Amino acid sequence: MEAQSLPAALALVAGGGAGLSPEKRAALGVSLPLLQRNYRFERVWFWGCIQGVRGAYYIAEGLRPDRAAPRIRLYSLNCLDWSLLTPATKEMLAQAEQLKGRFQGDPSFEYSFAEINPQAAEKLFEGGKEPIIKEEARLIATIEQIDRAVGIVPRGAFVKTPLGSVHENRHFEGLSLVEAKKLSSYFHFTEPVNLKNKTLLEKANLDPSTDFLDSLEHDIPKGSWSVQLEKGGAVVVLRSLLWLGLTFYHVPMTKQYGYIYFGTGEKNMDLPFML
């Protein structure tokens, strides 16, 4: 969610128990504008917090003019001092999927693959790599997984130019209340997968400038999103049941929207059995 509107946005998602202490809010109010200035970001989003056993990781994302470009992510242990995270690689994502259990809260903590997957550890050892993964690498991969799976935006909030770049839609004035309650009105803000599989007949009714992403209505498993009206019906809130702790909000007929994550960084693998 937007760093500038963070206090108001946190109040809108507080119904799910997500929140920050006054001290952390004050620290973010000081450090995020400095982050934007020092790194020359066009916008800064406060992504959320991954809670570990001995500490928490607070995550921010820096955005460039082209919103389709890879986001630059940073983490902090105290909401004041920020460290850059390297881009996620396929190897990081594959290794992180094998790790189970809580984060420790220490970026230098090392997980041993010999204890988790002896076969994978043996292949790494034969390839001249140490059979370990640092928690910082797991953090990078987990943020990427969450963003790909449940990072969402309202339909029409972004437009794609004929050259392929993606920008904020200046004419977006929010969804109507009727549309805001539909899963089809929200898109995954990542490279589309299902859209490429649509037939020409299905694509005929789509606007290529706004309908260039995958909508939530076809998410698997079906029922992985909870849609609720809060604040007397003034705010539409979507919560992910796949990545518990991800909350998206939108105030209909306004430009106010965003998502934030407050959780342990663990995927809810039991969801198919809960539906």
Side-chain angles (χ1 to χ4, degrees):
M1 56 177 60
E2 280 284 351
Q4 295 178 347
S5 58
L6 187 59
L10 285 172
L12 295 177
V13 299
L20 293 168
S21 66
E23 293 81 5
K24 297 299 182 188
R25 290 191 189 192
L28 289 172
V30 173
S31 65
L32 291 180
L34 292 175
L35 200 67
Q36 182 174 354
R37 186 194 69 183
N38 294 340
Y39 285 91
R40 297 181 181 179
F41 294 137
E42 185 176 88
R43 294 283 183 88
V44 170
W45 284 357
F46 179 65
W47 184 88
C49 168
I50 293 180
Q51 186 68 47
V53 176
R54 298 194 294 267
Y57 297 103
Y58 299 92
I59 315 298
E61 291 185 332
L63 305 178
R64 301 299 187 186
D66 182 4
R67 295 297 191 263
R71 280 166 260 178
I72 299 172
R73 299 186 176 107
L74 305 97
Y75 77 95
S76 174
L77 301 176
N78 56 10
C79 293
L80 288 172
D81 304 309
W82 296 88
S83 302
L84 273 171
L85 291 170
T86 59
T89 62
K90 291 182 179 179
E91 185 182 10
M92 282 182 187
L93 293 169
Q95 291 176 347
E97 285 183 354
Q98 300 181 55
L99 299 175
K100 308 296 179 186
R102 295 281 302 277
F103 278 79
Q104 296 301 309
D106 178 7
S108 61
F109 181 82
E110 297 179 344
Y111 298 90
S112 173
F113 264 94
E115 299 176 4
I116 303 165
N117 191 329
Q119 293 180 344
E122 188 175 347
K123 287 181 181 178
L124 287 172
F125 190 75
E126 289 175 355
K129 299 179 181 179
E130 289 187 83
I132 59 171
I133 178 173
K134 287 192 174 182
E135 183 155 282
E136 186 176 79
R138 183 190 180 189
L139 178 67
I140 293 168
T142 301
I143 296 170
E144 181 70 19
Q145 286 177 327
I146 294 174
D147 259 347
R148 286 185 185 181
V150 290
I152 61 176
V153 294
R155 181 180 183 273
F158 292 87
V159 292
K160 188 174 184 178
T161 67
L163 298 176
S165 59
V166 176
H167 303 278
E168 291 185 23
N169 186 359
R170 296 181 181 179
H171 302 290
F172 177 69
E173 296 296 337
L175 302 171
S176 66
L177 181 58
V178 174
E179 291 296 318
K181 292 188 287 185
K182 300 177 182 178
L183 284 179
S184 58
S185 298
Y186 301 95
F187 292 154
H188 289 282
F189 198 38
T190 187
E191 188 70 23
V193 177
N194 297 330
L195 187 65
K196 298 175 182 178
N197 299 326
K198 287 183 179 291
T199 64
L200 291 176
L201 188 60
E202 291 174 317
K203 291 180 179 179
N205 296 323
L206 300 180
D207 184 343
S209 64
T210 55
D211 299 318
F212 58 93
L213 300 169
D214 288 333
S215 72
L216 269 60
E217 61 180 334
H218 301 301
D219 278 14
I220 299 172
K222 195 172 175 116
S224 60
W225 288 97
S226 166
V227 183
Q228 299 170 335
L229 292 176
E230 297 188 0
K231 306 289 182 182
V235 183
V236 178
V237 175
L238 279 71
R239 292 189 174 89
S240 173
L241 304 180
L242 185 63
W243 288 94
L244 297 172
L246 190 288
T247 306
F248 172 89
Y249 76 93
H250 176 48
V251 181
M253 304 306 294
T254 75
K255 295 183 178 182
Q256 298 181 58
Y257 68 88
Y259 66 86
I260 195 165
Y261 179 81
F262 283 98
T264 60
E266 296 174 283
K267 191 175 183 179
N268 182 16
M269 304 302 292
D270 297 327
L271 179 59
F273 306 100
M274 298 167 62
L275 297 174

